Short mmCIF file of all heavy atoms in Angstrom, two decimals:
data_model
loop_
_atom_site.label_atom_id
_atom_site.label_comp_id
_atom_site.label_asym_id
_atom_site.label_seq_id
_atom_site.Cartn_x
_atom_site.Cartn_y
_atom_site.Cartn_z
N ALA A 7 86.67 30.81 29.44
CA ALA A 7 86.40 29.38 29.27
C ALA A 7 85.37 29.10 28.19
O ALA A 7 85.28 27.97 27.71
CB ALA A 7 85.92 28.78 30.59
N LYS A 8 84.62 30.12 27.80
CA LYS A 8 83.48 29.90 26.92
C LYS A 8 83.86 29.24 25.60
O LYS A 8 83.23 28.27 25.16
CB LYS A 8 82.78 31.24 26.65
CG LYS A 8 81.52 31.10 25.82
CD LYS A 8 80.82 32.44 25.67
CE LYS A 8 79.58 32.32 24.80
NZ LYS A 8 78.89 33.63 24.65
N GLY A 9 84.89 29.75 24.94
CA GLY A 9 85.27 29.21 23.64
C GLY A 9 85.69 27.75 23.73
O GLY A 9 85.31 26.93 22.89
N VAL A 10 86.47 27.43 24.76
CA VAL A 10 86.91 26.05 24.94
C VAL A 10 85.72 25.13 25.18
O VAL A 10 85.61 24.04 24.62
CB VAL A 10 87.90 25.95 26.13
CG1 VAL A 10 88.18 24.49 26.49
CG2 VAL A 10 89.19 26.65 25.77
N VAL A 11 84.80 25.58 26.04
CA VAL A 11 83.63 24.76 26.38
C VAL A 11 82.77 24.51 25.15
O VAL A 11 82.30 23.39 24.90
CB VAL A 11 82.80 25.44 27.49
CG1 VAL A 11 81.47 24.73 27.69
CG2 VAL A 11 83.58 25.44 28.79
N ILE A 12 82.55 25.53 24.35
CA ILE A 12 81.72 25.37 23.16
C ILE A 12 82.36 24.38 22.19
O ILE A 12 81.69 23.47 21.67
CB ILE A 12 81.49 26.73 22.47
CG1 ILE A 12 80.56 27.59 23.33
CG2 ILE A 12 80.90 26.54 21.08
CD1 ILE A 12 80.38 29.00 22.82
N ASP A 13 83.66 24.52 21.96
CA ASP A 13 84.34 23.59 21.04
C ASP A 13 84.29 22.16 21.57
O ASP A 13 84.03 21.21 20.81
CB ASP A 13 85.80 24.02 20.85
CG ASP A 13 85.93 25.28 20.02
OD1 ASP A 13 84.96 25.65 19.34
OD2 ASP A 13 87.02 25.89 20.03
N ALA A 14 84.52 21.99 22.87
CA ALA A 14 84.51 20.65 23.46
C ALA A 14 83.11 20.05 23.41
O ALA A 14 82.94 18.85 23.17
CB ALA A 14 85.02 20.71 24.89
N ALA A 15 82.09 20.87 23.65
CA ALA A 15 80.71 20.38 23.62
C ALA A 15 80.31 19.97 22.21
O ALA A 15 79.64 18.95 22.01
CB ALA A 15 79.78 21.46 24.16
N ARG A 16 80.69 20.75 21.21
CA ARG A 16 80.35 20.40 19.83
C ARG A 16 81.06 19.12 19.41
O ARG A 16 80.51 18.31 18.66
CB ARG A 16 80.70 21.56 18.89
CG ARG A 16 79.90 22.82 19.17
CD ARG A 16 80.23 23.94 18.21
NE ARG A 16 79.68 23.68 16.88
CZ ARG A 16 79.84 24.49 15.84
NH1 ARG A 16 80.54 25.62 16.00
NH2 ARG A 16 79.33 24.20 14.68
N ASN A 17 82.28 18.95 19.89
CA ASN A 17 83.00 17.72 19.60
C ASN A 17 82.30 16.51 20.25
O ASN A 17 82.19 15.44 19.64
CB ASN A 17 84.43 17.84 20.10
CG ASN A 17 85.26 16.61 19.81
OD1 ASN A 17 85.43 15.74 20.66
ND2 ASN A 17 85.78 16.50 18.59
N ALA A 18 81.83 16.69 21.48
CA ALA A 18 81.10 15.61 22.16
C ALA A 18 79.82 15.28 21.42
O ALA A 18 79.43 14.11 21.30
CB ALA A 18 80.79 16.02 23.60
N LEU A 19 79.15 16.30 20.89
CA LEU A 19 77.94 16.06 20.11
C LEU A 19 78.25 15.29 18.83
O LEU A 19 77.51 14.40 18.44
CB LEU A 19 77.28 17.40 19.76
CG LEU A 19 76.41 18.03 20.84
CD1 LEU A 19 76.04 19.46 20.45
CD2 LEU A 19 75.16 17.21 21.07
N ALA A 20 79.34 15.66 18.18
CA ALA A 20 79.71 14.99 16.92
C ALA A 20 79.99 13.52 17.15
O ALA A 20 79.65 12.66 16.33
CB ALA A 20 80.92 15.68 16.30
N LYS A 21 80.62 13.18 18.28
CA LYS A 21 80.96 11.80 18.58
C LYS A 21 79.86 11.06 19.32
O LYS A 21 79.86 9.84 19.40
CB LYS A 21 82.25 11.74 19.39
CG LYS A 21 83.48 12.20 18.63
CD LYS A 21 84.74 12.02 19.45
CE LYS A 21 85.98 12.40 18.65
NZ LYS A 21 87.21 12.22 19.44
N GLY A 22 78.94 11.83 19.92
CA GLY A 22 77.88 11.19 20.68
C GLY A 22 78.35 10.58 21.98
O GLY A 22 77.72 9.65 22.50
N GLU A 23 79.45 11.09 22.54
CA GLU A 23 80.01 10.51 23.75
C GLU A 23 80.32 11.60 24.77
O GLU A 23 80.79 12.68 24.42
CB GLU A 23 81.29 9.73 23.42
CG GLU A 23 81.06 8.54 22.49
CD GLU A 23 82.34 7.83 22.12
OE1 GLU A 23 83.42 8.32 22.50
OE2 GLU A 23 82.27 6.79 21.46
N PRO A 24 80.08 11.32 26.07
CA PRO A 24 80.38 12.32 27.11
C PRO A 24 81.88 12.48 27.30
O PRO A 24 82.67 11.62 26.89
CB PRO A 24 79.73 11.72 28.36
CG PRO A 24 79.72 10.25 28.11
CD PRO A 24 79.52 10.08 26.63
N LYS A 25 82.27 13.57 27.96
CA LYS A 25 83.69 13.78 28.22
C LYS A 25 83.87 14.65 29.45
O LYS A 25 82.97 15.39 29.86
CB LYS A 25 84.37 14.42 27.02
CG LYS A 25 83.85 15.80 26.66
CD LYS A 25 84.71 16.46 25.60
CE LYS A 25 84.71 15.70 24.29
NZ LYS A 25 85.58 16.33 23.27
N LEU A 26 85.05 14.54 30.04
CA LEU A 26 85.45 15.37 31.18
C LEU A 26 86.55 16.30 30.70
O LEU A 26 87.54 15.85 30.10
CB LEU A 26 85.94 14.50 32.33
CG LEU A 26 86.27 15.20 33.66
CD1 LEU A 26 85.03 15.86 34.24
CD2 LEU A 26 86.84 14.20 34.65
N VAL A 27 86.39 17.59 30.95
CA VAL A 27 87.30 18.61 30.44
C VAL A 27 87.88 19.40 31.62
O VAL A 27 87.16 19.78 32.54
CB VAL A 27 86.56 19.56 29.48
CG1 VAL A 27 87.40 20.77 29.15
CG2 VAL A 27 86.17 18.81 28.21
N ARG A 28 89.18 19.64 31.57
CA ARG A 28 89.84 20.50 32.56
C ARG A 28 90.44 21.70 31.85
O ARG A 28 91.16 21.56 30.86
CB ARG A 28 90.93 19.73 33.30
CG ARG A 28 91.72 20.60 34.30
CD ARG A 28 92.89 19.84 34.90
NE ARG A 28 92.42 18.74 35.73
CZ ARG A 28 92.89 17.49 35.64
NH1 ARG A 28 93.82 17.19 34.76
NH2 ARG A 28 92.42 16.55 36.43
N ILE A 29 90.17 22.89 32.37
CA ILE A 29 90.73 24.13 31.84
C ILE A 29 91.63 24.70 32.93
O ILE A 29 91.14 25.18 33.97
CB ILE A 29 89.64 25.13 31.45
CG1 ILE A 29 88.65 24.48 30.48
CG2 ILE A 29 90.26 26.37 30.81
CD1 ILE A 29 87.46 25.37 30.13
N SER A 30 92.93 24.65 32.72
CA SER A 30 93.87 25.04 33.77
C SER A 30 95.25 25.26 33.19
O SER A 30 95.62 24.66 32.17
CB SER A 30 93.93 23.96 34.86
OG SER A 30 94.89 24.28 35.85
#
């Protein structure tokens, strides 16, 4: 999950908005 989480977190930082992510 690490790679997905890092990419999603950096994207949230770039947009300045929170998000909910599902890995499944």
Side-chain angles (χ1 to χ4, degrees):
K8 184 176 179 180
V10 170
V11 170
I12 290 174
D13 289 343
R16 296 182 73 181
N17 181 262
L19 279 169
K21 293 184 176 180
E23 297 177 354
K25 63 171 62 182
L26 186 62
V27 169
R28 177 186 294 131
I29 306 175
S30 176

